[in-house]
Short mmCIF file of all heavy atoms in Angstrom, two decimals:
data_model
loop_
_atom_site.label_atom_id
_atom_site.label_comp_id
_atom_site.label_asym_id
_atom_site.label_seq_id
_atom_site.Cartn_x
_atom_site.Cartn_y
_atom_site.Cartn_z
N SER A 73 5.12 7.46 10.72
CA SER A 73 5.62 8.41 11.67
C SER A 73 5.16 9.80 11.16
O SER A 73 5.58 10.33 10.06
CB SER A 73 7.18 8.34 11.59
OG SER A 73 7.75 9.39 12.42
N THR A 76 7.14 13.27 9.70
CA THR A 76 8.12 12.97 8.79
C THR A 76 7.69 12.08 7.67
O THR A 76 6.66 11.39 7.75
CB THR A 76 9.43 12.37 9.50
OG1 THR A 76 8.91 11.20 10.14
CG2 THR A 76 9.92 13.28 10.57
N PHE A 77 8.54 11.97 6.64
CA PHE A 77 8.13 11.17 5.46
C PHE A 77 8.47 9.72 5.69
O PHE A 77 9.31 9.37 6.46
CB PHE A 77 8.99 11.70 4.16
CG PHE A 77 8.77 13.01 3.92
CD1 PHE A 77 9.88 13.81 3.93
CD2 PHE A 77 7.52 13.61 3.67
CE1 PHE A 77 9.68 15.29 3.57
CE2 PHE A 77 7.35 14.96 3.34
CZ PHE A 77 8.43 15.76 3.32
N ALA A 78 7.80 8.80 4.96
CA ALA A 78 8.30 7.47 4.82
C ALA A 78 9.64 7.42 4.15
O ALA A 78 9.93 8.21 3.39
CB ALA A 78 7.29 6.72 3.93
N GLU A 79 10.48 6.60 4.75
CA GLU A 79 11.89 6.62 4.42
C GLU A 79 12.14 5.78 3.14
O GLU A 79 13.29 5.85 2.49
CB GLU A 79 12.84 6.17 5.52
CG GLU A 79 12.56 7.15 6.72
CD GLU A 79 13.11 6.43 8.00
OE1 GLU A 79 14.06 5.87 7.88
OE2 GLU A 79 12.60 6.72 8.99
N ASP A 80 11.19 4.93 2.64
CA ASP A 80 11.41 4.05 1.59
C ASP A 80 10.93 4.86 0.25
O ASP A 80 10.07 4.32 -0.42
CB ASP A 80 10.78 2.73 1.71
CG ASP A 80 9.37 2.83 2.02
OD1 ASP A 80 8.87 3.97 2.30
OD2 ASP A 80 8.58 1.84 1.78
N ASN A 81 11.56 5.98 -0.07
CA ASN A 81 11.21 6.63 -1.31
C ASN A 81 12.51 7.23 -1.88
O ASN A 81 13.58 6.97 -1.35
CB ASN A 81 10.20 7.81 -1.06
CG ASN A 81 10.65 8.72 -0.04
OD1 ASN A 81 11.74 9.43 -0.29
ND2 ASN A 81 10.06 9.11 1.07
N ASP A 82 12.30 7.88 -3.06
CA ASP A 82 13.45 8.38 -3.77
C ASP A 82 13.81 9.91 -3.40
O ASP A 82 14.64 10.44 -4.00
CB ASP A 82 13.18 8.39 -5.34
CG ASP A 82 13.12 6.98 -5.77
OD1 ASP A 82 13.76 6.01 -5.19
OD2 ASP A 82 12.18 6.65 -6.70
N PHE A 83 13.14 10.43 -2.42
CA PHE A 83 13.31 11.89 -2.13
C PHE A 83 14.15 12.02 -0.77
O PHE A 83 14.26 11.22 0.08
CB PHE A 83 11.98 12.53 -1.87
CG PHE A 83 10.99 12.29 -3.06
CD1 PHE A 83 10.15 11.28 -3.18
CD2 PHE A 83 11.12 13.16 -4.15
CE1 PHE A 83 9.31 11.11 -4.26
CE2 PHE A 83 10.23 13.01 -5.30
CZ PHE A 83 9.41 11.99 -5.28
N ILE A 84 14.81 13.24 -0.83
CA ILE A 84 15.31 13.67 0.49
C ILE A 84 14.11 13.78 1.52
O ILE A 84 13.06 14.22 1.20
CB ILE A 84 16.04 15.13 0.27
CG1 ILE A 84 17.33 14.81 -0.42
CG2 ILE A 84 16.21 15.72 1.66
CD1 ILE A 84 18.14 16.13 -0.82
N TYR A 85 14.42 13.34 2.74
CA TYR A 85 13.23 13.38 3.72
C TYR A 85 13.94 13.90 5.01
O TYR A 85 15.06 14.05 5.22
CB TYR A 85 12.69 12.04 3.90
CG TYR A 85 13.60 10.95 4.49
CD1 TYR A 85 13.69 10.75 5.88
CD2 TYR A 85 14.38 10.20 3.55
CE1 TYR A 85 14.61 9.70 6.29
CE2 TYR A 85 15.27 9.20 4.07
CZ TYR A 85 15.33 9.01 5.45
OH TYR A 85 16.17 8.08 5.92
N VAL A 86 12.95 14.28 5.92
CA VAL A 86 13.30 14.83 7.25
C VAL A 86 12.94 13.76 8.43
O VAL A 86 11.80 13.24 8.24
CB VAL A 86 12.69 16.11 7.54
CG1 VAL A 86 13.05 16.62 8.92
CG2 VAL A 86 13.02 17.14 6.51
N LYS A 87 13.81 13.56 9.24
CA LYS A 87 13.52 12.63 10.41
C LYS A 87 14.20 13.37 11.65
O LYS A 87 15.38 13.55 11.70
CB LYS A 87 14.04 11.29 10.19
CG LYS A 87 13.73 10.25 11.32
CD LYS A 87 14.14 8.94 11.02
CE LYS A 87 13.78 7.97 12.06
NZ LYS A 87 14.28 6.49 11.78
N LYS A 88 13.40 13.62 12.66
CA LYS A 88 13.75 14.14 13.97
C LYS A 88 14.71 15.36 13.73
O LYS A 88 15.77 15.52 14.29
CB LYS A 88 14.63 13.10 14.74
CG LYS A 88 13.65 11.98 15.17
CD LYS A 88 14.41 10.99 16.02
CE LYS A 88 13.43 9.78 16.44
NZ LYS A 88 14.22 8.78 17.29
N GLY A 89 14.26 16.27 12.84
CA GLY A 89 14.99 17.58 12.72
C GLY A 89 16.21 17.51 11.83
O GLY A 89 17.00 18.43 11.75
N ARG A 90 16.42 16.31 11.07
CA ARG A 90 17.52 16.20 10.19
C ARG A 90 17.16 15.75 8.75
O ARG A 90 16.20 14.99 8.57
CB ARG A 90 18.60 15.39 10.75
CG ARG A 90 19.23 15.83 11.99
CD ARG A 90 20.64 15.13 12.25
NE ARG A 90 21.11 15.57 13.59
CZ ARG A 90 22.19 15.19 14.12
NH1 ARG A 90 23.05 14.33 13.35
NH2 ARG A 90 22.77 15.61 15.27
N LEU A 91 17.81 16.29 7.72
CA LEU A 91 17.57 15.99 6.42
C LEU A 91 18.42 14.76 5.98
O LEU A 91 19.61 14.73 6.41
CB LEU A 91 17.89 17.06 5.50
CG LEU A 91 17.08 18.31 5.59
CD1 LEU A 91 17.75 19.60 4.93
CD2 LEU A 91 15.79 18.09 4.65
N TYR A 92 17.84 13.70 5.32
CA TYR A 92 18.55 12.51 4.85
C TYR A 92 18.27 12.31 3.37
O TYR A 92 17.24 12.55 2.79
CB TYR A 92 18.03 11.27 5.70
CG TYR A 92 18.31 11.42 7.14
CD1 TYR A 92 17.47 11.93 8.08
CD2 TYR A 92 19.55 10.86 7.59
CE1 TYR A 92 17.79 12.07 9.40
CE2 TYR A 92 19.86 10.82 9.01
CZ TYR A 92 18.90 11.44 9.89
OH TYR A 92 19.22 11.52 11.19
N TYR A 93 19.42 11.81 2.72
CA TYR A 93 19.26 11.26 1.36
C TYR A 93 18.44 9.99 1.44
O TYR A 93 18.15 9.32 2.53
CB TYR A 93 20.56 10.90 0.77
CG TYR A 93 21.49 12.15 0.55
CD1 TYR A 93 22.61 12.34 1.33
CD2 TYR A 93 21.18 13.14 -0.34
CE1 TYR A 93 23.48 13.40 1.15
CE2 TYR A 93 21.98 14.23 -0.56
CZ TYR A 93 23.11 14.39 0.25
OH TYR A 93 23.96 15.44 0.06
N PRO A 94 17.82 9.61 0.32
CA PRO A 94 17.05 8.23 0.23
C PRO A 94 17.69 7.08 0.83
O PRO A 94 17.05 6.18 1.32
CB PRO A 94 16.71 8.12 -1.26
CG PRO A 94 16.76 9.59 -1.81
CD PRO A 94 17.81 10.19 -1.05
N ASP A 95 19.08 6.98 0.79
CA ASP A 95 19.81 5.87 1.28
C ASP A 95 20.04 6.06 2.74
O ASP A 95 20.68 5.13 3.26
CB ASP A 95 21.10 5.70 0.53
CG ASP A 95 22.12 6.86 0.80
OD1 ASP A 95 21.79 7.84 1.49
OD2 ASP A 95 23.23 6.90 0.05
N GLY A 96 19.61 7.02 3.39
CA GLY A 96 19.67 7.18 4.82
C GLY A 96 20.90 7.98 5.35
O GLY A 96 21.02 8.28 6.50
N LYS A 97 21.75 8.51 4.40
CA LYS A 97 22.86 9.34 4.80
C LYS A 97 22.43 10.71 5.02
O LYS A 97 21.48 11.23 4.36
CB LYS A 97 23.93 9.28 3.70
CG LYS A 97 24.69 7.90 3.58
CD LYS A 97 25.69 7.97 2.41
CE LYS A 97 26.32 6.56 2.30
NZ LYS A 97 27.46 6.62 1.23
N GLU A 98 23.10 11.42 5.96
CA GLU A 98 22.72 12.74 6.33
C GLU A 98 23.05 13.66 5.13
O GLU A 98 24.15 13.55 4.54
CB GLU A 98 23.39 13.27 7.53
CG GLU A 98 22.83 12.76 8.78
CD GLU A 98 23.51 13.47 10.03
OE1 GLU A 98 24.04 14.43 9.81
OE2 GLU A 98 23.18 13.01 11.19
N VAL A 99 22.21 14.59 4.73
CA VAL A 99 22.39 15.52 3.72
C VAL A 99 23.46 16.62 4.06
O VAL A 99 23.46 17.09 5.25
CB VAL A 99 21.03 16.25 3.36
CG1 VAL A 99 21.31 17.46 2.43
CG2 VAL A 99 20.02 15.37 2.70
N ALA A 100 24.35 16.99 3.14
CA ALA A 100 25.25 18.02 3.25
C ALA A 100 25.36 18.63 1.88
O ALA A 100 26.20 18.12 1.09
CB ALA A 100 26.56 17.64 3.88
N LEU A 101 24.66 19.68 1.54
CA LEU A 101 24.69 20.22 0.13
C LEU A 101 25.17 21.69 0.19
O LEU A 101 24.57 22.51 0.79
CB LEU A 101 23.28 20.14 -0.49
CG LEU A 101 22.76 18.77 -0.78
CD1 LEU A 101 21.37 18.82 -1.15
CD2 LEU A 101 23.73 18.05 -1.87
N TYR A 187 21.36 19.03 -6.91
CA TYR A 187 20.01 19.23 -6.44
C TYR A 187 19.48 20.64 -6.63
O TYR A 187 20.32 21.60 -6.63
CB TYR A 187 20.01 18.90 -4.95
CG TYR A 187 19.89 17.42 -4.65
CD1 TYR A 187 21.06 16.64 -4.29
CD2 TYR A 187 18.65 16.71 -4.45
CE1 TYR A 187 20.93 15.34 -4.05
CE2 TYR A 187 18.62 15.38 -4.27
CZ TYR A 187 19.77 14.71 -3.96
OH TYR A 187 19.70 13.35 -3.63
N PRO A 252 12.89 13.69 -7.96
CA PRO A 252 13.73 13.53 -6.69
C PRO A 252 15.02 14.39 -6.76
O PRO A 252 15.72 14.47 -5.70
CB PRO A 252 14.13 12.03 -6.79
CG PRO A 252 14.12 11.69 -8.21
CD PRO A 252 12.97 12.46 -8.83
N SER A 253 15.27 14.97 -7.88
CA SER A 253 16.45 15.96 -7.86
C SER A 253 16.05 17.34 -7.21
O SER A 253 16.98 18.10 -7.00
CB SER A 253 16.86 16.15 -9.35
OG SER A 253 16.06 16.99 -10.15
N ILE A 254 14.79 17.53 -6.87
CA ILE A 254 14.47 18.73 -6.17
C ILE A 254 14.56 18.36 -4.71
O ILE A 254 14.03 17.31 -4.22
CB ILE A 254 12.99 19.12 -6.48
CG1 ILE A 254 12.94 19.61 -7.99
CG2 ILE A 254 12.50 20.25 -5.49
CD1 ILE A 254 11.55 19.91 -8.42
N ALA A 255 15.37 19.16 -3.99
CA ALA A 255 15.75 18.80 -2.60
C ALA A 255 14.61 19.31 -1.66
O ALA A 255 14.11 18.41 -0.90
CB ALA A 255 16.99 19.46 -2.11
N ILE A 256 14.18 20.58 -1.67
CA ILE A 256 13.19 21.07 -0.81
C ILE A 256 12.47 22.12 -1.51
O ILE A 256 12.84 22.72 -2.54
CB ILE A 256 13.83 21.57 0.52
CG1 ILE A 256 14.80 22.75 0.21
CG2 ILE A 256 14.30 20.56 1.40
CD1 ILE A 256 15.34 23.27 1.47
N LEU A 321 6.06 14.78 -1.87
CA LEU A 321 6.71 14.36 -0.63
C LEU A 321 7.95 15.18 -0.21
O LEU A 321 8.50 14.95 0.78
CB LEU A 321 7.18 13.06 -0.85
CG LEU A 321 6.09 11.78 -0.84
CD1 LEU A 321 6.85 10.41 -1.09
CD2 LEU A 321 5.50 11.76 0.61
N HIS A 322 8.29 16.26 -1.03
CA HIS A 322 9.52 16.95 -0.71
C HIS A 322 9.29 17.79 0.61
O HIS A 322 8.23 18.35 0.89
CB HIS A 322 9.76 18.04 -1.77
CG HIS A 322 10.03 17.36 -3.16
ND1 HIS A 322 9.07 17.17 -4.04
CD2 HIS A 322 11.17 16.97 -3.73
CE1 HIS A 322 9.48 16.57 -5.17
NE2 HIS A 322 10.94 16.47 -4.99
N PRO A 323 10.31 17.93 1.38
CA PRO A 323 10.35 18.75 2.60
C PRO A 323 9.89 20.15 2.29
O PRO A 323 10.30 20.68 1.28
CB PRO A 323 11.71 18.60 3.25
CG PRO A 323 12.26 17.37 2.62
CD PRO A 323 11.69 17.19 1.27
N VAL A 324 9.18 20.73 3.15
CA VAL A 324 8.65 22.09 3.01
C VAL A 324 9.39 23.01 4.10
O VAL A 324 9.53 22.65 5.30
CB VAL A 324 7.19 22.21 3.19
CG1 VAL A 324 6.63 23.65 3.13
CG2 VAL A 324 6.49 21.34 2.23
N GLU A 350 8.80 21.24 7.74
CA GLU A 350 9.87 20.40 8.41
C GLU A 350 11.20 21.11 8.49
O GLU A 350 12.10 20.64 9.19
CB GLU A 350 10.02 19.11 7.50
CG GLU A 350 8.85 18.12 7.48
CD GLU A 350 7.91 18.41 6.30
OE1 GLU A 350 8.20 19.48 5.53
OE2 GLU A 350 6.88 17.77 6.17
N VAL A 351 11.35 22.26 7.76
CA VAL A 351 12.61 22.89 7.55
C VAL A 351 12.41 24.35 7.84
O VAL A 351 11.33 24.93 7.37
CB VAL A 351 13.18 22.65 6.08
CG1 VAL A 351 14.61 23.28 6.09
CG2 VAL A 351 13.11 21.24 5.83
N GLN A 402 14.31 22.21 17.67
CA GLN A 402 15.09 20.90 17.74
C GLN A 402 14.65 20.00 16.65
O GLN A 402 15.49 19.22 16.06
CB GLN A 402 15.01 20.25 19.08
CG GLN A 402 15.85 19.04 19.25
CD GLN A 402 15.79 18.46 20.70
OE1 GLN A 402 15.07 19.03 21.52
NE2 GLN A 402 16.50 17.42 21.04
N ASN A 403 13.28 20.04 16.38
CA ASN A 403 12.76 19.16 15.34
C ASN A 403 12.58 19.63 13.99
O ASN A 403 11.75 19.21 13.18
CB ASN A 403 11.50 18.50 15.88
CG ASN A 403 11.70 17.52 16.91
OD1 ASN A 403 12.66 16.70 16.85
ND2 ASN A 403 10.81 17.55 17.96
N LYS A 404 13.26 20.75 13.76
CA LYS A 404 13.29 21.40 12.41
C LYS A 404 14.56 21.26 11.85
O LYS A 404 15.58 21.70 12.42
CB LYS A 404 12.96 22.95 12.54
CG LYS A 404 11.46 23.15 13.07
CD LYS A 404 10.39 22.71 12.24
CE LYS A 404 9.03 23.14 12.82
NZ LYS A 404 7.91 22.50 12.07
N ALA A 405 14.67 20.83 10.61
CA ALA A 405 16.00 20.86 9.81
C ALA A 405 16.32 22.32 9.53
O ALA A 405 15.44 23.15 9.29
CB ALA A 405 15.88 20.07 8.65
N LYS A 406 17.66 22.57 9.41
CA LYS A 406 18.04 23.95 9.12
C LYS A 406 18.81 24.02 7.78
O LYS A 406 19.61 23.15 7.49
CB LYS A 406 18.95 24.51 10.18
CG LYS A 406 18.26 24.91 11.48
CD LYS A 406 18.22 23.67 12.33
CE LYS A 406 17.47 23.99 13.73
NZ LYS A 406 17.35 22.81 14.56
N VAL A 407 18.54 25.17 6.94
CA VAL A 407 19.17 25.45 5.71
C VAL A 407 19.43 26.96 5.61
O VAL A 407 18.81 27.71 6.31
CB VAL A 407 18.50 24.91 4.53
CG1 VAL A 407 18.00 23.42 4.56
CG2 VAL A 407 17.12 25.75 4.34
N ARG A 430 27.78 24.69 10.00
CA ARG A 430 27.62 23.25 10.42
C ARG A 430 27.45 23.19 11.88
O ARG A 430 26.73 22.26 12.40
CB ARG A 430 28.89 22.43 10.01
CG ARG A 430 29.08 22.29 8.54
CD ARG A 430 27.87 21.54 7.90
NE ARG A 430 28.05 20.08 8.06
CZ ARG A 430 27.09 19.15 7.79
NH1 ARG A 430 25.95 19.60 7.36
NH2 ARG A 430 27.38 17.88 7.82
N GLY A 433 23.93 23.25 12.85
CA GLY A 433 23.05 22.19 12.30
C GLY A 433 22.61 22.38 10.83
O GLY A 433 21.74 21.66 10.42
N VAL A 434 23.17 23.28 10.14
CA VAL A 434 22.74 23.63 8.75
C VAL A 434 23.30 22.46 7.81
O VAL A 434 24.41 21.97 7.89
CB VAL A 434 23.40 24.95 8.30
CG1 VAL A 434 23.09 25.16 6.84
CG2 VAL A 434 22.91 26.11 9.08
N GLN A 435 22.39 22.02 6.87
CA GLN A 435 22.61 20.93 6.02
C GLN A 435 22.55 21.34 4.45
O GLN A 435 22.97 20.55 3.72
CB GLN A 435 21.61 19.73 6.27
CG GLN A 435 21.82 19.07 7.66
CD GLN A 435 20.92 17.96 7.82
OE1 GLN A 435 19.75 18.06 8.50
NE2 GLN A 435 21.28 16.79 7.33
N MET A 436 22.06 22.47 4.24
CA MET A 436 22.14 23.06 2.91
C MET A 436 22.44 24.58 2.98
O MET A 436 22.03 25.24 3.91
CB MET A 436 20.84 22.88 2.17
CG MET A 436 20.29 21.47 2.02
SD MET A 436 18.76 21.49 0.95
CE MET A 436 18.26 19.85 1.17
N ILE A 481 27.52 17.90 11.71
CA ILE A 481 26.80 19.04 12.12
C ILE A 481 26.69 19.00 13.63
O ILE A 481 26.91 18.04 14.26
CB ILE A 481 25.35 18.92 11.52
CG1 ILE A 481 24.55 17.73 11.90
CG2 ILE A 481 25.45 19.17 9.96
CD1 ILE A 481 23.08 17.78 11.50
N LEU A 482 26.32 20.33 14.19
CA LEU A 482 26.22 20.45 15.68
C LEU A 482 27.42 20.09 16.41
O LEU A 482 27.42 19.70 17.53
CB LEU A 482 25.04 19.57 16.18
CG LEU A 482 23.65 19.99 15.67
CD1 LEU A 482 22.50 19.14 16.17
CD2 LEU A 482 23.34 21.39 15.99
#
Side-chain angles (χ1 to χ4, degrees):
S73 177
T76 58
F77 303 121
E79 295 166 36
D80 55 344
N81 61 56
D82 294 330
F83 303 94
I84 285 175
Y85 64 92
V86 180
K87 183 177 181 181
K88 296 182 180 179
R90 294 197 185 184
L91 290 157
Y92 294 90
Y93 295 112
D95 64 3
K97 294 180 180 178
E98 285 190 9
V99 167
L101 292 172
Y187 279 94
S253 73
I254 294 172
I256 55 175
L321 285 177
H322 299 92
V324 176
E350 298 91 357
V351 187
Q402 186 174 0
N403 288 319
K404 300 293 184 186
K406 286 90 180 174
V407 302
R430 293 299 277 170
V434 173
Q435 293 183 264
M436 298 183 190
I481 62 172
L482 296 174

